[in-house]
Amino acid sequence: MASYLRPTDLSDAIDALAVGGLTVIAGATDYYPAQVGRRNNHDILDISAIEALSGISSDDAFWRIGAMATWRDLMDAELPSCFDGLKTAARQIGGAQIQNTATIAGNLCNASPAADGVPPLLSLDARVVLEDRSGAREMPLADFIQGNRRTALNEGQLLTGIKVPRELEQGRSGFIKLGARSYLVISIVMVAGLVLLDEDSLVRQAYISIGACSEVAQRLPELEAALMGQPLSSDIVAKGHFAGLRPLDDHRGTAAYRLDASETLTRRLLERLAA
Ligand SMILES: Cc1cc2nc3c(=O)[nH]c(=O)nc-3n(C[C@H](O)[C@H](O)[C@H](O)COP(=O)(O)OP(=O)(O)OC[C@H]3O[C@@H](n4cnc5c(N)ncnc54)[C@H](O)[C@@H]3O)c2cc1C
């Protein structure tokens, strides 16, 4: 018979995971829909009662989003402008019930190409903290998500938090999602951006990311480089900046439509950030 563990201590969860064979659930909003029509006999490790994984906090160098922080927690938190893009994404994830239950970390671990949390967190230069019995280690989010539903999580590891460098906190940020309708919809394309301007209003740093246009959401390094040292303007955007994307043709949109939409949404986002 399948087992169901719901520890309150992080160390108990890590010890249980080390034994092997457990499936982690947080909000379970990706996990349970994926079980429809299947015989579900997984041994479950439910991390939702672990206080140490909750909330959003900061120290001198980083903001930390706990593995049990929900989209609602993020929306309700007082956060600097660099989080505006992630908050905009949060407001469009599912409906209120999903936002109250689903976690930001679960969105990353599920590693869907259409996960709305990934582009804004790439644009926040986020790192993930992975823990097992041997301790904690960090890696950039860009290295953590390795493919469609594939991450760098090893057996026995738990993602315990997401870190965002505080040096970005004065950045202007935004997010635009394109779906077949405005709400409760899987993204066809989404774009997230964060820019820091210098005292002359020239771009000092830029992080622009596109989701749902390749197996893994991607930053646009050529566009970011072209923006550096320039006044913030959508005029800088060129087709070539999107050449690294490999969008799918599917029932939501053709590859050509997705590429075209990426460019249009990126221009729109930069116009909003410049305004
Ligand atoms: C009606 C509905 C609407 C939705 N709308 C959207 C949407 O608009 N945009 C969007 O991006 N997503 C959407 N989702 C998907 C889902 O809600 C999100 O991806 C959510 O953030 C997942 O979080 P969770 O805590 O529920 O993850 P869970 O379902 O608990 O976990 C997801 C996966 O990650 C693993 N996991 C979770 N936490 C950890 C951890 N700390 N360490 C290691 N592994 C972990 C689990 O084992 C599982 O494989 C929707 C889902 C539903 C049901």
Side-chain angles (χ1 to χ4, degrees), residues 72 75 91 93-102 184:
R72 167 58 55 191
M75 284 188 268
R91 283 191 283 273
I93 289 195
Q97 295 96 329
I98 296 293
Q99 292 160 5
N100 290 343
T101 313
L184 274 171

Side-chain angles (χ1 to χ4, degrees), residues 69-88:
T70 63
W71 294 107
R72 167 58 55 191
D73 292 334
L74 180 91
M75 284 188 268
D76 289 348
E78 292 258 343
L79 294 169
S81 56
C82 67
F83 283 98
D84 290 352
L86 189 61
K87 283 191 170 195
T88 304

Side-chain angles (χ1 to χ4, degrees), residues 75-130:
M75 284 188 268
D76 289 348
E78 292 258 343
L79 294 169
S81 56
C82 67
F83 283 98
D84 290 352
L86 189 61
K87 283 191 170 195
T88 304
R91 283 191 283 273
Q92 294 174 62
I93 289 195
Q97 295 96 329
I98 296 293
Q99 292 160 5
N100 290 343
T101 313
T103 63
I104 301 153
N107 192 249
L108 304 186
C109 292
N110 192 56
S112 159
D116 287 326
V118 179
L121 281 161
L122 284 176
S123 288
L124 282 162
D125 205 18
R127 305 178 67 76
V128 293
V129 183
L130 308 179

Side-chain angles (χ1 to χ4, degrees), residues 17 23-33 47 53 67-68 71 89 92-95 98 101-112 114-117 144 153 157-161 177 184-187 190:
L17 267 183
T23 298
V24 174
I25 58 168
T29 62
D30 272 317
Y31 173 74
Y32 279 119
I47 60 170
L53 298 180
M68 275 312 304
W71 294 107
Q92 294 174 62
I93 289 195
I98 296 293
T101 313
T103 63
I104 301 153
N107 192 249
L108 304 186
C109 292
N110 192 56
S112 159
D116 287 326
F144 176 68
L153 261 179
Q157 269 183 333
L158 197 62
L159 189 159
T160 54
K177 166 171 174 166
L184 274 171
V185 72
I186 295 181
S187 294
M190 64 293 211

